[in-house]
Amino acid sequence: FGVLLTVVAYGYLLWTIGHARSALHEEFRTHTMRTREAEEMLALARTVRENKDGLTELQRYILRESEVPRFVEKLEALAETFQVALHLTSLNTDTRSGEEALTLSLSLTGAYPRILQFVQAIELLPLRLEVGTVTLAYGGRAMIGTDAIPAPKSDSREEWTGTMNFQVLGFRAKKSQ
């Protein structure tokens, strides 16, 4: 009977050691995961801190929906700077390409060189944008791109009319709730 009791006690002792080993292994694995997660969070925080200026700089290239009225005001001020009359004919959001974009159509009136300077200034805005078409007309004749009408002299004050379509590709619309 003593041998049986010794075997049972030995078996219980082995089972207890095995169970404790499993629990210890699980605790070690959990601790390792938590330590790794904490290290990753610290590395991410350090990266954000180190790149904060760069991230702030990148924010300049994104136009949020709440900033659209101010953006239109900036376009109007830019047109005024170049002595170009500007009328916003349409403003729409577009997600057909899978990327959000703000599509604008403008009607322009002014001297030929001033309109060109205005168009070039828009192309140089610190936004990710794509100019679709620019159409200019004088005396009932239209010019699209570099077509048709010979360009007037750079000091020309003749009144031209035109349209310009472009998309702001770095656009973020408000997420609907």
Side-chain angles (χ1 to χ4, degrees):
F1 175 75
V3 174
L4 182 60
L5 187 60
T6 304
V7 169
V8 169
Y10 186 67
Y12 178 75
L13 182 62
L14 287 176
W15 178 83
T16 304
I17 291 172
H19 181 69
R21 182 176 171 259
S22 295
L24 185 60
H25 178 69
E26 183 62 30
E27 182 63 32
F28 178 75
R29 193 173 71 77
T30 302
H31 175 73
T32 302
M33 284 178 34
R34 286 183 185 150
T35 302
R36 187 176 303 135
E37 288 173 358
E39 288 171 353
E40 288 172 359
M41 291 299 290
L42 286 172
L44 179 60
R46 185 174 39 256
T47 301
V48 168
R49 240 186 350 269
E50 291 170 355
N51 295 304
K52 187 175 182 181
D53 292 339
L55 294 171
T56 302
E57 181 68 20
L58 283 175
Q59 292 299 319
R60 290 184 346 132
Y61 297 97
I62 297 172
L63 179 67
R64 288 176 177 66
E65 186 174 8
S66 62
E67 299 166 338
V68 170
R70 177 114 170 90
F71 176 67
V72 171
E73 289 172 359
K74 284 182 181 180
L75 289 177
E76 291 168 343
L78 188 61
E80 192 175 305
T81 300
F82 289 104
Q83 299 171 348
V84 171
L86 177 139
H87 176 70
L88 179 65
T89 55
S90 74
L91 183 134
N92 299 300
T93 57
D94 181 14
T95 56
R96 283 178 286 168
S97 65
E99 180 179 7
E100 292 176 304
L102 181 68
T103 303
L104 295 99
S105 294
L106 309 175
S107 174
L108 310 169
T109 305
Y112 180 83
R114 300 288 187 166
I115 291 176
L116 289 185
Q117 290 170 339
F118 173 73
V119 170
Q120 289 171 342
I122 286 181
E123 290 175 330
L124 295 174
L125 288 173
L127 289 170
R128 190 170 151 237
L129 57 84
E130 183 177 284
V131 175
T133 59
V134 177
T135 305
L136 299 175
Y138 175 73
R141 300 183 334 211
M143 178 172 92
I144 301 173
T146 57
D147 295 347
I149 308 169
K153 296 178 185 167
S154 62
D155 63 348
S156 173
R157 305 269 184 253
E158 298 167 337
E159 190 92 342
W160 284 66
T161 59
T163 60
M164 177 180 187
N165 301 309
F166 66 97
Q167 284 190 319
V168 178
L169 301 173
F171 176 69
R172 296 294 170 259
K174 257 192 259 181
K175 302 293 181 208
S176 55
Q177 302 290 350

